Structure formats: structure tokens, C-alpha cells
Amino acid sequence: MTQRAAIAAAAAVLAATALLGLAPQAAAALAGPVPQPQSATAENKAAAARAATAPDTLATLSRFFAREGKVSLTAARPRIEGEAIPVNHLSPEFVAGRAGAPVARLEFLAGKAVSSDGQQATLWTARTEAGWQVVNIATGDDEFRYAQLGAAKLPGGTVFREPQIDAWYVAGGSRVLPLDEDAVRAVGADGTSLAAYRVRVARAYGDKLPGSAYAEGGRAGGYAEAEAVPAAVTAVAADAEGAGVPWAAGAGALVLGVLGVAAVRRSRRVGARA
């Protein structure tokens, strides 16, 4: 993807976010990201479920499913299926080599939404200053699919995403195994040791962690003011050709930080299949 195309794609994601009614959460995210809990407790899942099934969320989902004319707004009748699942991302503490740091940390909870005509979407729900809120809606069911693949490949392992290259893995014991083609390119079809994986990500991202000059320069998604939205679009676009935006400032930056890149990538893939 060229930088010009990436800028257009990122801008489209932000425009769609505003259209779908998620812009207030995005603005709140920029104003003050909130750290996510260390694990998805029953209480957290219940709070995420309440946010996912709230009338405003269902109305937003109806607009989301009707946006391309596949189903009418009144006929969409979205429903939430099953329980929210934890979605983990590569941990900056692990990259930094902090003793005892797990390879991944909780980034948000994912809920599956289905329309009356069978369309599927994933709700990204995170803890914000206003409580648990839906902060983004993405096409497809990647989070659920990779959770299932990981459980089958390494029962009891931790499924996580390396957002910088859009790669999915499962880690357990001293091994890291790939779950998609991006991960295979990164660690090989047979995976790698946890120690070797740490060396690789430290080499790739060690100078881009929170607090680094890269992050302090505003290229890691951690914007403090809502007025920084245009800069955020530029940052997403500038990194779309390379390693991706390294770190968002917590799940609060879902729409405009690292996960904004994920939305661009997923939207592009959907377009390619059409």
C-alpha cells in the first residue's frame, strides 16, 4: 500500500468511525487512555456484554451492517452471539525484557455480532474513563477464528497478535507457534522458542517502546488531544507500508492508534475479496 493510499484508507476508517457513532469514544481515548485489566474476569466480561447489547450499540450495528446496502437499516436486526473473549497483543514489557513479563497482555474484549442476513462483525470493547465501552467495530471474525486455531494447536496456550505486522500466534511453555501466514513469515512454519522470539521483537521494536523518542515524537498512536486526529491519520499512513504503528497508549487508542492499522488492513482485505 502506498503512503497516499494508506492515508486515504486511514481517513476512511476515521470517517466511518464518526458515521457509526464511535467518534466520542475515540476522542475520549485520545484524552486519556486507560490501562486494561490483567485478565478478563467474569465481572469484566459481564460489563463488556452490557456495553455490547446496549440499545445505542445495537443501533450502531444496524447502521454498520446496512452501510453497503446489503441489508436495510430496519431489517438488519443485529444480535450478539456467545461470550466476549479476551484479545491479547504483544506486550511492550516483554519486548523490553522485563523479568517475568508475559509475552502478551490483554488489549480488549471481542464480541461477535451477527445481522439477520448473516453478516458478521467484531465489537472491540475496552475499559475507558467512562467505564466499559465499545470502541470499534471491525468486519469479520478474526479474533474468534484465531482463538479457536490457537486452542487446537496448543491447548492452554496464549493466543496473541503482533499488531505491527498483523501476525497471530499461540504461545505456551517455551514455544511460540504461528497461526497465520504473517506469523509463518516471521518465525517459520514450526515456530520458534520464546527466547528467540523475544530477541526478534526486541530487535524490531526495542527502540519504539512507550517513552522512546519514536513514541514521544507522536508516531506510536499516543496522542493527548482530540485535535491530533489529522496527525494520527498521518502516523497510521506513514507506517502502513513498513512495520506498522508500534504501540498505542493502551486500549484507549484503539481507533486512532495501532488498531486503526488493523481496521485499515482488514477493510483492505475485505475489498480485495469482493
Side-chain angles (χ1 to χ4, degrees):
M1 179 183 288
T2 65
Q3 181 167 334
R4 180 178 297 176
I7 291 173
V13 169
L14 295 182
T17 297
L19 177 64
L20 293 171
L22 297 175
Q25 287 90 332
L30 294 176
V34 174
Q36 298 306 294
Q38 293 184 351
S39 61
T41 64
E43 181 180 1
N44 293 334
K45 290 182 179 180
R50 288 193 294 271
T53 56
D56 286 349
T57 301
L58 296 177
T60 297
L61 279 168
S62 292
R63 294 195 296 275
F64 182 87
F65 287 128
R67 72 196 184 284
E68 295 177 351
K70 295 179 180 179
V71 65
S72 70
L73 186 64
T74 56
R77 297 192 301 275
R79 65 185 186 276
I80 307 302
E81 289 191 348
E83 185 179 68
I85 63 170
V87 178
N88 303 297
H89 279 190
L90 174 64
S91 166
E93 290 78 17
F94 177 81
V95 174
R98 183 173 301 176
V103 66
R105 68 181 184 184
L106 181 68
E107 193 71 13
F108 59 93
L109 296 181
K112 182 181 292 187
V114 182
S115 70
S116 61
D117 65 337
Q119 293 183 71
Q120 293 188 19
T122 301
L123 296 174
W124 296 348
T125 307
R127 186 170 63 185
T128 72
E129 289 184 334
W132 283 88
Q133 292 183 327
V134 175
V135 294
N136 198 18
I137 300 174
T139 55
D141 62 348
D142 285 8
E143 291 78 9
F144 294 88
R145 183 159 48 87
Y146 288 119
Q148 293 174 349
L149 286 173
K153 194 167 190 176
L154 189 58
T158 298
V159 174
F160 71 98
R161 180 171 176 263
E162 184 183 330
Q164 297 80 4
I165 60 171
D166 192 28
W168 288 86
Y169 310 85
V170 59
S174 61
R175 299 293 297 171
V176 177
L177 304 179
L179 296 178
D180 68 357
E181 293 180 358
D182 294 301
V184 169
R185 283 192 289 269
V187 301
D190 296 326
T192 188
S193 69
L194 188 64
Y197 181 71
R198 220 292 290 177
V199 170
R200 189 188 76 78
V201 296
R203 183 170 58 245
Y205 315 124
D207 62 343
K208 299 175 178 67
L209 292 166
S212 66
Y214 185 97
E216 293 299 325
R219 296 183 64 192
Y223 296 91
E225 300 294 338
E227 288 76 14
V229 169
V233 173
T234 303
V236 170
D239 281 314
E241 288 187 88
V245 180
W247 305 109
L254 286 174
V255 174
L256 300 175
V258 172
L259 294 176
V261 176
V264 170
R265 291 175 66 95
R266 189 176 294 187
S267 296
R268 178 161 55 86
R269 288 177 177 174
V270 170
R273 288 198 299 266

